[in-house]
C-alpha cells in the first residue's frame, strides 16, 4: 500500500508538467545540426533575411490560361482582401508586376479594360520575361502566383498560427466568389499548422484506439477484464509521468517525437505481460495471490530489468544522431520505458493482487494459454533442427548481402501532413512550373566593396556562365544581371552594352541608381549586402534526386575553388539553401544512425553479458537481435529500395524492441541449465515459461503498430510497415532459430 500510494503521488506530481507541453513543427527540428552548412545558412540569412510569404496559386478551370478575365478578377479579389491576413506588408502579383529590367509595368491600365486580343499580347510579353516566369508565372501561363508578404517582424507561435488560419479563410472566401478558378494556398506557417494538427489528430485519435486494442487483446488472451483495467491504469500513469517530466524539461514535441507516446504505450503494455504471465502460472499451480505475485516479481526481476535496460539503450542511442527530432524521439521513449519499468514494480503488483480474480479452483493438469501450442512448437524445432538452422542462416546471409541495394533519398515534401490541399498545391506547381530545387549561394569577396570590383565581377560572371551552360541548371540570377541591365538602359537599351562596366565607381553608381527606383519585389538588398562585400547567386536546377542535387552542389563548390582560389584567395562560397541541407541529411543521418546502432548493439550485448553473467551467451544473443532488422531491410531493398533518415531511425531502434524476447528466452534457459537440466529440458522449460508472454507481447506490439497505418503522418505509416514484420520475425527467430543456435553452441556438460 505504501509503495502504491507513493507511486501514485509521485506520478501526479510529474503530471502537473503536462500543461507545459509544447510543439515544434518547423522543418528546422528535423535538420541535423552536425552539417557545417548550417553555419553558412545562418550567416547568409543574417545578411539577406527572407520575409515570410503566403503563396496563393491561381489556375483557370475553363479558360486556356491565366490571362483571362476570370483569373485576373480572382487576383484582383485577393488584392482587395489580403489585408485580412494579419501582419501583412504588401501583395505581389501578375496584375501589379513591374519589370526591373525594362522598368515597365505589365499592366499599364486596370485589367478589366483589356480586350482578349490585348490580353493575348500581354501573355506573349509575360512568358518572354525570364524574371516573371522564374517567380510568378508558369512558362505556359496556366498558373500564376500572388504572394502576400508578411511584415519583417519576429513572430511567435500564436501569431504564426493566426496568419495560417486567416490565409485559409481568405482562400475559402476567394473560392466561393470565384468558382471558375482553382485557388490554392501554401506557406511555411500553413505547413506548420497542418503538421501540428495532423500530429494532434493522430495522437488524440490513435492513442485511445491503440490503448484499447492492446488492452482488449490482453483481456482476451488471459480471459480477464480486470487484468485489462490494471494494465490500463499502469499505462495511464506511465504516460502521465513521461509527458509531464519531459514537459518540465522544456522538450517540445515535433513531427517525429509525437509518435513517442504511442511507442511508450505499446512497450509499456507489452512489458506488463511478463509479470502477469508468471503471476497467473504461479496461481495456476495453487499459490495464493500474494505468494504468486512475490514469485512473479522475484522470477521476473532479472529479465524485465535487463529488457527495460536494453530497450532503453536501443532508443536512447538515437541521441548519437544530430537531428533534434530523432534525438527527442529516442529520449522520450527511453524515459517512458524507465517509468514503465518502475511502475511495473511499484504499482502493477498491488493492482493485480487487489483486482485480479483468485484461481482458487485452478486445475494444475490443465494447460494455460498457448502452452500446448508452444510445446508442439518445441517438438517441431527438435524434429527439423538442421533445416531450421541452415534455412534461417541462409536467409539472414542473403538478405544481409541485399542491404547495400538500399539507396538513401529524402524528399522533405514527402513528410508534410497529408492535407489534400497542400498536396494538390505541390502537385500543381511541380507539374506546371516544372520547378526543380532552387539553390542560393553567397559569394563573399572578403573585404569592403570587394563584390563590386570589376575584376571580381568578371570572375563571378564567368562562373555564372559556366553554371548557366549546364544541362542540369535551368537559370542563374545575380547582381551581375542587374548591373548589365542598368548599363544597357544607360546606353539607350543597346544590346551591345549588356556587359559589365570596367570601373568600380560606375558599378557603385549603377547599383545606387537602381536602389532609388527598385521594385519591392526585387530590392537591391536581395542581391548584394550593404557594404558591397557579399553578393547572392540564385540557381534554379532541373527536377532531380537528392543525390543528383548533392553532386551538382559538389561540382559547383569545386568549380568555384578552381576559379577563385588562385585569383581571389579571400573569396568564399557560402551555401545558403535549406533544401540542400535536407538532401545532405540523408548521408549524415544515415552514418550517425548506423554509428548509434553499432554503439547500441555493443552496449546491449555488454548489458546481457553482465545480466546473464556469461560472456559467451551475451555474445551469442547478438544473432537473434541483429537478424530481424537485416532480413526485413533486405526485402525492403528488393521491393522499395529507398531509405530516408526516418526509415533508418526505425532500423536503429529495432534492436531495442526485439531484444526483449531474447532476454527472456535466454534468462529462463540459463536458469534451467544452472539447475542441472540438459539442453532439451532447459529449452522446453524456457519456451514453456516465457513463450506465452513473448507471444502476447509480440501480438500487442504488432497490433498497436498496425493501427498506425491509419495515421495522417508518414512517419507513423512507415513505422507500421517496418516494425510489424520486424517484431513478428523477432519472435519467430527466438522460438525457432535461437533453440537451434543453443543446441549447437551450448556445449556445457550437465552435472
Amino acid at each position: 500500500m505504501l509503495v502504491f500510494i507513493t507511486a501514485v503521488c509521485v506520478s501526479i506530481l510529474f503530471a502537473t508538467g503536462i500543461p507545459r507541453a509544447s510543439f515544434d513543427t518547423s522543418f528546422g527540428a528535423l535538420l541535423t545540426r552536425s552539417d557545417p552548412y548550417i553555419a553558412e545558412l545562418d550567416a547568409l540569412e543574417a545578411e539577406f533575411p527572407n520575409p515570410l510569404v503566403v503563396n496563393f496559386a491561381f489556375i483557370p478551370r475553363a479558360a486556356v490560361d491565366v490571362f483571362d478575365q476570370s483569373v485576373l478578377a480572382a487576383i484582383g479579389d485577393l488584392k482587395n482582401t489580403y489585408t485580412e491576413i494579419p501582419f501583412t506588408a504588401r501583395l505581389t502579383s501578375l496584375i501589379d508586376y513591374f519589370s526591373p529590367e525594362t522598368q515597365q509595368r505589365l499592366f499599364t491600365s486596370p485589367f478589366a479594360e483589356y480586350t482578349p486580343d490585348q490580353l493575348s499580347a500581354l501573355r506573349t510579353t509575360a512568358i518572354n520575361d525570364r524574371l516573371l516566369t522564374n517567380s510568378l508565372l508558369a512558362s505556359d501561363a496556366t498558373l500564376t502566383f500572388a504572394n502576400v508578404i508578411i511584415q519583417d517582424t519576429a513572430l511567435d507561435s500564436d501569431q504564426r498560427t493566426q496568419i495560417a488560419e486567416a490565409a485559409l479563410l481568405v482562400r475559402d472566401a476567394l473560392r466561393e466568389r470565384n468558382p471558375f478558378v482553382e485557388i490554392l494556398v501554401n506557406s511555411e506557417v500553413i505547413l506548420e499548422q497542418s503538421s501540428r494538427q495532423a500530429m494532434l489528430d493522430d495522437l488524440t485519435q490513435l492513442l485511445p484506439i491503440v490503448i484499447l486494442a492492446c488492452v482488449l487483446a490482453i483481456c482476451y488472451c488471459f480471459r480477464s477484464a480486470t487484468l485489462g483495467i490494471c494494465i490500463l491504469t499502469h499505462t495511464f500513469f506511465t504516460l502521465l509521468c513521461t509527458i509531464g517530466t519531459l514537459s518540465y524539461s522544456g522538450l517540445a514535441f515535433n513531427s517525429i517525437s509525437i509518435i513517442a507516446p504511442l511507442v511508450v504505450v505499446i512497450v509499456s503494455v507489452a512489458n506488463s505481460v511478463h509479470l502477469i504471465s508468471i503471476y497467473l502460472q504461479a496461481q495456476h499451480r495453487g499459490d495464493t495471490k500474494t505468494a504468486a505475485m512475490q514469485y512473479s516479481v522475484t522470477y521476473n526481476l532479472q529479465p524485465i530489468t535487463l529488457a527495460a535496460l536494453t530497450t532503453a539503450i536501443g532508443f536512447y542511442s538515437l541521441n548519437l544522431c544530430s537531428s533534434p527530432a530523432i534525438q527527442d524521439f529516442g529520449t522520450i521513449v527511453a524515459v517512458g520505458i524507465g517509468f514503465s519499468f518502475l511502475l511495473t514494480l511499484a504499482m502493477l503488483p498491488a493492482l493485480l493482487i487487489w483486482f485480479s480474480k483468485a484461481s482458487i479452483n485452478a486445475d494444475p493438469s490443465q494447460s494455460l494459454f498457448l502452452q500446448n501450442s508452444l510445446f508442439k512448437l518445441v517438438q517441431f524445432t527438435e524434429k527439423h533442427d538442421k533445416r531450421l538452422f541452415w534455412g534461417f542462416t541462409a536467409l539472414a546471409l542473403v538478405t544481409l548481402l541485399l542491404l547495400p541495394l538500399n539507396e538513401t533519398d529524402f524528399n522533405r515534401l514527402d513528410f508534410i501532413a497529408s492535407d489534400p490541399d497542400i498536396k494538390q498545391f505541390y502537385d500543381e506547381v511541380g507539374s506546371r512550373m516544372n520547378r526543380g530545387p532552387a539553390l542560393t549561394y553567397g559569394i563573399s569577396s572578403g573585404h569592403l566593396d570587394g563584390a563590386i570590383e570589376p575584376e571580381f565581377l568578371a570572375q563571378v560572371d564567368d562562373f555564372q556562365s559556366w553554371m548557366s551552360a549546364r544541362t542540369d541548371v535551368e537559370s542563374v540570377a545575380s547582381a551581375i544581371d542587374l548591373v548589365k541591365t542598368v548599363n544597357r538602359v544607360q546606353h539607350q537599351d543597346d544590346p551591345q552594352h549588356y556587359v559589365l562596366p570596367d570601373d568600380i565607381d560606375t558599378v557603385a553608381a549603377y547599383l545606387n541608381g537602381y536602389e532609388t527606383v527598385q521594385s519591392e519585389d526585387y530590392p537591391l538588398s536581395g542581391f548584394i549586402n550593404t557594404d558591397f562585400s557579399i553578393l547572392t547567386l540564385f540557381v534554379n536546377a532541373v527536377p532531380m534526386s537528392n543525390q543528383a542535387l548533392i553532386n551538382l552542389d559538389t561540382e559547383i563548390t569545386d568549380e568555384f575553388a578552381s576559379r577563385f582560389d588562385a585569383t581571389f584567395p579571400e573569396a568564399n562560397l557560402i551555401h545558403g539553401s535549406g533544401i540542400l541541407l535536407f538532401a545532405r541529411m540523408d548521408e549524415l543521418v544515415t552514418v550517425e544512425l548506423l554509428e548509434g546502432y553499432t554503439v547500441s548493439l555493443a552496449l546491449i550485448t555488454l548489458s546481457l553479458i553482465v545480466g546473464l553473467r556469461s560472456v559467451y551467451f551475451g555474445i551469442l544473443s547478438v544473432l537473434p537481435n541483429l537478424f530481424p532488422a537485416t532480413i526485413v531491410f533486405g526485402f525492403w531493398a528488393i521491393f522499395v529500395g529507398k531509405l530516408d533518415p526516418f526509415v533508418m531511425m526505425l532500423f536503429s531502434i529495432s534492436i531495442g524492441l526485439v531484444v526483449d524476447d531474447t532476454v527472456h528466452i535466454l534468462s529462463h534457459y540459463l536458469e534451467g541449465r544452472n539447475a542441472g537440466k540438459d539442453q532439451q529440458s532447459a529449452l522446453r522449460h524456457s519456451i514453456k515459461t516465457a513463450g506465452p508472454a513473448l507471444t502476447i507481447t509480440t501480438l500487442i506490439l504488432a497490433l498497436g503498430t498496425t493501427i498506425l497505418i491509419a495515421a495522417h503522418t508518414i512517419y507513423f505509416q512507415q513505422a507500421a510497415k517496418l516494425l510489424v514484420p520486424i517484431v513478428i520475425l523477432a519472435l519467430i527467430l527466438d522460438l525457432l532459430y535461437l533453440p537451434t543456435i543453443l543446441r549447437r553452441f551450448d556445449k556445457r556438460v550437465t552435472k
Side-chain angles (χ1 to χ4, degrees), residues 40 43-45 47-48 439-465 467 476-484 500 504 507 511 523-539 560 564 568 570-576:
E40 297 185 28
L44 200 62
E45 286 184 347
E47 289 285 348
F48 303 94
L439 300 177
T440 302
Y441 294 95
I443 300 182
S444 172
S445 63
H447 58 87
L448 181 70
D449 291 337
I452 60 172
E453 293 177 352
E455 296 81 4
F456 184 82
L457 287 175
Q459 190 79 303
V460 174
D461 191 20
D462 289 340
F463 181 51
Q464 182 173 326
S465 298
M467 279 190 285
V476 185
S478 72
I480 299 291
D481 307 285
L482 190 152
V483 173
K484 287 182 177 181
L500 291 168
I504 191 172
V507 174
L511 293 177
L524 181 65
S525 59
F527 293 97
I528 194 165
N529 65 342
T530 54
D531 63 6
F532 292 167
S533 64
I534 303 174
L535 57 83
T536 51
L537 200 64
F538 304 99
V539 181
F560 179 87
F564 285 80
F568 297 95
E570 295 181 354
N572 183 35
L573 184 68
I574 306 171
H575 302 78

Side-chain angles (χ1 to χ4, degrees), residues 31-35 318-324 327 588-589 592:
L31 286 173
T32 170
R33 305 305 297 180
S34 62
D35 194 327
L318 294 178
N319 279 270
L320 294 176
C321 173
S322 56
S323 170
Q327 289 177 353
L588 289 168
V589 172
E592 290 171 348

Side-chain angles (χ1 to χ4, degrees), residues 42-85:
D42 292 341
L44 200 62
E45 286 184 347
E47 289 285 348
F48 303 94
N50 291 314
L52 178 64
V53 179
V54 179
N55 307 109
F56 285 84
F58 295 83
I59 306 169
R61 293 184 188 273
V64 176
D65 55 48
V66 299
F67 286 90
D68 182 86
Q69 287 292 351
S70 63
V71 180
L72 299 176
I75 299 173
D77 193 353
L78 175 62
K79 184 177 180 180
N80 295 329
T81 58
Y82 80 91
T83 52
E84 294 175 10
I85 302 173

Side-chain angles (χ1 to χ4, degrees), residues 323-341:
S323 170
I326 295 177
Q327 289 177 353
D328 292 348
F329 172 80
T331 299
I332 294 170
V333 178
V335 170
I337 290 170
F339 278 118
S340 176
F341 168 72

Side-chain angles (χ1 to χ4, degrees), residues 67 94 106 121-130 132-133 137:
F67 286 90
L94 187 68
L106 182 64
L122 280 184
R123 177 187 184 278
T124 302
T125 301
I127 61 177
N128 289 322
D129 188 321
R130 64 188 184 93
L132 186 55
T133 54
L137 185 67

Side-chain angles (χ1 to χ4, degrees), residues 29-30 41 152 284 309 364 381-382 474 538-539 570 598 712:
L30 304 177
L41 177 64
D152 189 16
H284 186 72
L309 175 62
T381 62
E382 293 171 358
E474 285 188 344
F538 304 99
V539 181
E570 295 181 354
T598 304
H712 295 88

Side-chain angles (χ1 to χ4, degrees), residues 358-391:
S359 301
I360 299 175
N361 299 318
D363 183 359
S365 65
Q366 297 295 318
S367 296
L368 286 172
F369 180 70
L370 288 178
Q371 287 194 336
N372 282 334
S373 299
L374 290 169
F375 181 74
K376 292 178 182 179
L377 186 67
V378 172
Q379 291 179 318
F380 176 80
T381 62
E382 293 171 358
K383 182 178 180 180
H384 301 283
D385 176 81
K386 184 177 291 186
R387 293 179 182 176
L388 289 171
F389 177 78
W390 290 111

Side-chain angles (χ1 to χ4, degrees), residues 15-28:
T16 58
I18 292 178
R20 298 171 177 258
S22 58
F23 299 90
D24 180 6
T25 53
S26 66
F27 284 119

